């Protein structure tokens, strides 16, 4: 078996196409860091404008309510009290929004703490006014909030303030520590899984398309040994590639921008430690190191699933075009679901590639479960492995393309 694996790895790296894909992978990492550095400034500018827009919107509502109070003297006492409570809320909301906007516009790390403390004050005020029916729950939808988002925001912000941690107010912050978080970003992982699919399909299809399978399968090895050798070799290659890519990314950003805070906090719930179908549980803090370790533990079964899925499609179709098309479509569907399906949808729970959005899974931001994601992708990988194995063992290679 060891000889087969060594031979498969040798053939893999002998392929110019595979070497080119690996080079493109590292070029992609360089490109994504350049992209992140540009996005940093764009995010600060756009976020400042976003809060400024919210400030103007709050001012418009405030002016409208004040005008209604002044113009309509026949309003009922209850209606007047409702308007007065709304006026009081939006007066405070405006002050908080313009302060947050100014900090983003200024982009001075010494003032980042103001955002955290102001956000906490804002979140508490929103919760209080919704509970007292001073503002309607539609306010949450307009601001893309849920009550859970507000409570989690208060929890993590207070932790940062209590422990005097330098806040990260921009997800594109260029430090080595944050580069590991960015590496585990869902959109980034979709591209990486497509690269893994490209490499995985070549482990089988290269011999079929070249016609060299006739020579390979006349060697004194059983088909099951050949199959296991191919799967193990591509798992080794893919795992090393992803790990080396993350280390390369971390080292490159750390050298240029510094390592950053490896213990920066992230908030999750106790549901992350349970096989559960809801996100209920007490809030808890994960350090960045813990976050990254958990992220890679979740990523590994998804990696296995991608490998056996691609290998299975390639064995069934004997076609690079069809294999790449089907694999890309299945992986890319995660991006579509992320952007067009509610985060409360059960699809997030049962679709294997939804778990590529590791941040949402670990921070329990959608209807998914960390342990279920590991189990689901592992089971799917095993099922596809068995199907691919049987298909390969009984395949009539006389029908393969020459």
């Amino acid at each position: 078996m060891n000889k087969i694996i060594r031979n498969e790895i040798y053939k893999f790296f002998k392929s110019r196409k595979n070497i080119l894909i690996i080079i493109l992978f590292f070029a992609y990492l360089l490109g994504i860091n350049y992209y992140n550095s540009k996005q940093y400034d764009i995010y600060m500018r756009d976020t400042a404008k976003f809060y400024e827009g919210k400030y103007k919107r709050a001012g418009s509502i405030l002016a409208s309510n004040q005008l209604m109070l002044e113009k309509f003297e026949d309003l009922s006492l209850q209606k007047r009290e409702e308007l007065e409570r709304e006026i009081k809320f939006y007066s405070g909301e405006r002050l908080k929004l313009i302060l947050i906007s100014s900090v983003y516009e200024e982009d001075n790390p010494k003032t980042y703490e103001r955002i955290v403390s102001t956000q906490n004050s804002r979140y508490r005020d929103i919760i209080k006014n919704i509970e007292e029916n001073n503002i309607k729950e539609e306010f949450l939808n307009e601001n893309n909030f849920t009550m859970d988002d507000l409570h989690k925001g208060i929890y993590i912000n207070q932790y940062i303030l209590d422990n005097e941690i330098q806040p990260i107010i921009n997800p594109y912050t260029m430090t080595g520590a944050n580069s590991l978080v960015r590496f585990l970003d869902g959109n980034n992982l979709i591209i990486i899984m497509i690269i893994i699919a490209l490499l995985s399909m070549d482990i089988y299809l290269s011999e079929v398309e070249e016609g060299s399978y006739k020579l390979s399968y006349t060697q004194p090895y059983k088909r099951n040994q050949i199959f296991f050798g191919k799967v193990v070799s591509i798992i080794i290659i893919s795992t090393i590639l992803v790990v080396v890519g993350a280390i390369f990314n971390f080292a490159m950003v750390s050298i240029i921008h510094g390592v950053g805070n490896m213990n920066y906090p992230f908030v999750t719930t106790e549901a992350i430690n349970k096989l559960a179908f809801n996100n209920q549980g007490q809030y808890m803090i994960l350090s960045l190191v813990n976050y990254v370790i958990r992220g890679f533990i979740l990523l590994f079964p998804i990696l296995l699933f991608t490998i056996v899925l691609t290998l299975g499609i390639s064995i069934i179709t004997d076609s690079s075009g069809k294999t790449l098309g089907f694999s890309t479509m299945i992986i890319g569907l995660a991006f579509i679901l992320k952007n067009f399906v509610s985060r409360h949808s059960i699809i997030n729970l049962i679709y294997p590639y939804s778990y590529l959005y590791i941040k949402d899974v670990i921070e329990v931001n959608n209807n998914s479960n960390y342990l279920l994601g590991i189990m689901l992708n592992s089971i799917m990988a095993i099922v596809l492995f068995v199907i691919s194995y049987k298909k390969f063992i009984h395949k009539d290679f006389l029908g393969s393309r020459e």
Side-chain angles (χ1 to χ4, degrees):
M1 179 62 72
N2 290 338
K3 188 174 181 180
I4 296 175
I5 294 172
R6 287 197 301 269
N7 186 47
E8 290 293 341
I9 293 175
Y10 171 76
K11 287 190 294 183
F12 178 90
F13 285 104
K14 193 178 177 181
S15 168
R16 291 181 179 178
K17 181 172 69 175
N18 290 337
I19 296 299
L20 178 60
I21 292 172
I22 291 173
I23 291 172
L24 289 175
F25 170 73
F26 284 98
Y28 166 74
L29 293 180
L30 290 171
I32 201 68
N33 279 303
Y34 176 77
Y35 170 82
N36 286 340
S37 67
K38 294 299 180 183
Q39 284 298 113
Y40 180 91
D41 293 332
I42 294 172
Y43 180 88
M44 297 301 283
R45 184 174 63 250
D46 288 353
T47 305
K49 289 181 179 178
F50 171 80
Y51 281 105
E52 185 180 349
K54 290 291 181 184
Y55 164 79
K56 291 178 180 178
R57 167 70 175 160
S60 173
I61 295 172
L62 184 62
S64 175
N65 286 353
Q66 288 173 333
L67 180 63
M68 191 175 295
L69 271 180
E70 295 170 3
K71 188 172 182 180
F72 299 100
E73 297 180 355
D74 56 344
L75 290 174
S76 67
L77 179 61
Q78 180 181 353
K79 183 62 177 177
R80 281 186 171 276
E81 288 176 348
E82 287 177 4
L83 288 173
E84 287 170 354
R85 287 196 296 267
E86 275 196 25
I87 288 171
K88 183 179 178 181
F89 168 76
Y90 280 106
S91 295
E93 177 79 346
R94 287 179 78 233
L95 293 174
K96 297 181 185 77
L97 291 169
I98 197 62
L99 174 60
I100 294 171
S101 175
S102 65
V103 173
Y104 272 104
E105 189 172 1
E106 183 184 3
D107 191 15
N108 182 353
K110 293 180 179 179
T111 62
Y112 287 175
E113 187 179 312
R114 291 184 194 171
I115 285 185
V116 177
S117 57
T118 304
Q119 286 284 32
N120 255 14
S121 175
R122 183 183 180 223
Y123 293 163
R124 288 193 179 101
D125 204 28
I126 292 171
I127 292 171
K128 176 177 177 290
N129 279 274
I130 286 179
E131 289 176 345
E132 294 177 356
N133 294 317
N134 296 334
I135 54 174
K136 297 180 176 63
E137 289 203 15
E138 283 78 2
F139 179 87
L140 297 177
N141 296 327
E142 292 172 2
N143 289 273
N144 199 27
F145 284 147
T146 66
M147 290 296 277
D148 187 56
D149 292 334
L150 297 177
H151 286 295
K152 284 170 70 176
I154 292 170
Y155 186 85
I156 186 66
N157 286 344
Q158 196 60 51
Y159 184 90
I160 289 171
L161 292 170
D162 291 344
N163 291 275
E164 298 181 348
I165 297 169
Q166 175 66 31
I168 294 177
I169 65 168
N170 189 324
Y172 299 99
T173 298
M174 296 296 290
T175 64
N178 202 51
S179 74
L180 293 173
V181 176
R182 296 299 306 168
F183 187 87
L184 291 170
D185 175 73
N187 294 334
N188 185 53
L189 291 181
I190 286 175
I191 300 298
I192 292 177
M193 287 303 109
I194 291 174
I195 291 172
I196 295 300
L198 280 168
L199 297 176
S200 299
M201 70 184 198
D202 190 74
I203 205 79
Y204 165 75
L205 286 175
S206 61
E207 293 177 341
V208 172
E209 294 183 333
E210 293 170 4
S212 59
Y213 68 92
K214 296 178 179 179
L215 177 62
S216 299
Y217 299 158
T218 59
Q219 300 294 320
Y221 302 119
K222 295 180 180 179
R223 279 208 186 176
N224 63 338
Q225 292 177 315
I226 295 173
F227 180 80
F228 282 112
K230 289 181 179 297
V231 172
V232 171
S233 62
I234 192 59
I235 288 174
I236 292 172
I237 292 167
S238 299
T239 302
I240 291 174
L241 182 65
V242 170
V243 171
V244 170
I247 294 172
F248 168 78
N249 200 48
F250 171 78
M252 177 175 56
V253 177
S254 295
I255 290 170
I256 300 172
H257 300 283
V259 174
N261 186 356
M262 294 296 292
N263 290 310
Y264 193 81
F266 293 83
V267 65
T268 183
T269 73
E270 291 177 345
I272 196 173
N273 295 320
K274 302 174 184 176
L275 187 60
F277 297 96
N278 62 65
N279 298 332
Q280 301 301 317
Q282 298 238 338
Y283 297 132
M284 54 183 283
I285 294 294
L286 290 179
S287 68
L288 187 144
V289 172
N290 197 334
Y291 175 101
V292 171
I293 290 173
R294 285 178 181 264
F296 276 99
I297 290 173
L298 175 58
L299 180 60
F300 185 68
I302 302 175
L303 180 70
L304 293 181
F305 173 64
T306 301
I307 290 169
V308 293
L309 172 69
T310 308
L311 188 59
I313 295 172
S314 64
I315 291 172
I316 292 170
T317 63
D318 285 331
S319 166
S320 294
K322 291 179 181 177
T323 301
L324 181 59
F326 284 130
S327 298
T328 303
M329 180 180 67
I330 295 170
I331 297 170
L333 182 59
F335 175 80
I336 296 173
L337 295 176
K338 165 70 175 176
N339 290 280
F340 296 99
V341 173
S342 168
R343 58 176 169 164
H344 304 295
S345 171
I346 194 172
I347 293 175
N348 295 310
L349 192 70
I350 62 176
Y351 186 63
Y353 282 120
S354 291
Y355 290 89
L356 283 173
Y357 287 93
I358 286 173
K359 180 178 175 64
D360 287 337
V361 178
I362 293 180
E363 296 188 4
V364 199
N365 291 329
N366 62 11
N367 186 26
S368 60
N369 177 262
Y370 177 77
L371 293 180
L372 181 65
I374 293 173
M375 185 179 294
L376 175 65
N377 278 277
S378 299
I379 292 172
M380 293 289 289
I382 292 169
V383 170
L384 286 172
F385 178 86
V386 172
I387 293 172
S388 302
Y389 172 79
K390 290 185 176 180
K391 183 68 178 177
F392 184 85
I393 294 298
H394 298 102
K395 189 173 180 64
D396 178 11
F397 283 98
L398 293 176
S400 297
R401 289 189 301 162
E402 298 185 12

